[in-house]
Amino acid sequence: MKLGVFSISLSVKDLQKSKDFYEKLGFSSMGGNIEQNYLIMKNGTTLIGLFQAMFDGNMLTFNPGWDENAQNLESFDDVRDIQKHLKENNIQLEKEADETTSGPEHIFLKDPDGNMILIDQHR
């Protein structure tokens, strides 16, 4: 099962302060929009999403169909196939994908310690 590119999605209090901090660590903006309260920051192959007032807590995020440059992958496991695999393995989902659709969709689940995991397919 291929989950796609990994990033951590951080819920931040002040997007500009967080942007400035991560830039000092060598990250640069590669996506998002500060006016829309989110930025995607990159350092090498490491990705961090900064989100202000969009969700509570931090999340592990996977994006099926994308590489670390947000470029489309030729081959990838659709989020609905990932969902099917997880359900077959008795993994409880917090939010399920609509299996009657195709294209963009997402699912939420929690690990045994309650950490949120988002699998977010954009295409």
Side-chain angles (χ1 to χ4, degrees):
M1 181 172 55
K2 298 175 194 169
L3 295 177
V5 67
F6 171 77
S7 63
I8 183 120
S9 297
L10 302 176
S11 179
V12 301
K13 294 177 185 172
D14 185 316
L15 185 56
Q16 185 63 54
K17 283 183 181 179
S18 294
K19 175 184 181 288
D20 294 344
F21 175 82
Y22 283 101
E23 284 176 341
K24 291 175 185 171
L25 291 179
F27 285 83
S28 58
S29 294
M30 69 161 286
N33 185 316
I34 203 157
E35 287 79 30
Q36 294 179 340
N37 291 330
Y38 81 100
L39 292 171
I40 308 302
M41 307 290 289
K42 183 175 181 186
N43 180 330
T45 59
T46 303
L47 299 173
I48 297 174
L50 304 175
F51 298 86
Q52 182 177 321
M54 293 183 125
F55 54 84
D56 293 325
N58 301 322
M59 288 185 285
L60 305 175
T61 303
F62 297 92
N63 298 111
W66 273 6
D67 68 12
E68 67 273 3
N69 296 309
Q71 298 299 306
N72 292 339
L73 296 173
E74 223 174 278
S75 174
F76 67 96
D77 291 347
D78 187 271
V79 68
R80 292 153 197 87
D81 294 330
I82 294 169
Q83 173 175 285
K84 181 180 177 185
H85 174 83
L86 296 173
K87 289 170 77 172
E88 287 171 353
N89 285 278
N90 299 315
I91 302 290
Q92 182 178 350
L93 301 176
E94 300 290 315
K95 189 266 180 202
E96 293 188 18
D98 181 348
E99 294 178 1
T100 66
T101 64
S102 62
E105 182 60 280
H106 66 279
I107 60 176
F108 280 108
L109 58 143
K110 290 182 181 178
D111 74 8
D113 294 301
N115 298 303
M116 283 299 279
I117 300 171
L118 168 64
I119 302 176
D120 192 13
Q121 180 176 307
H122 295 284
R123 59 187 200 107

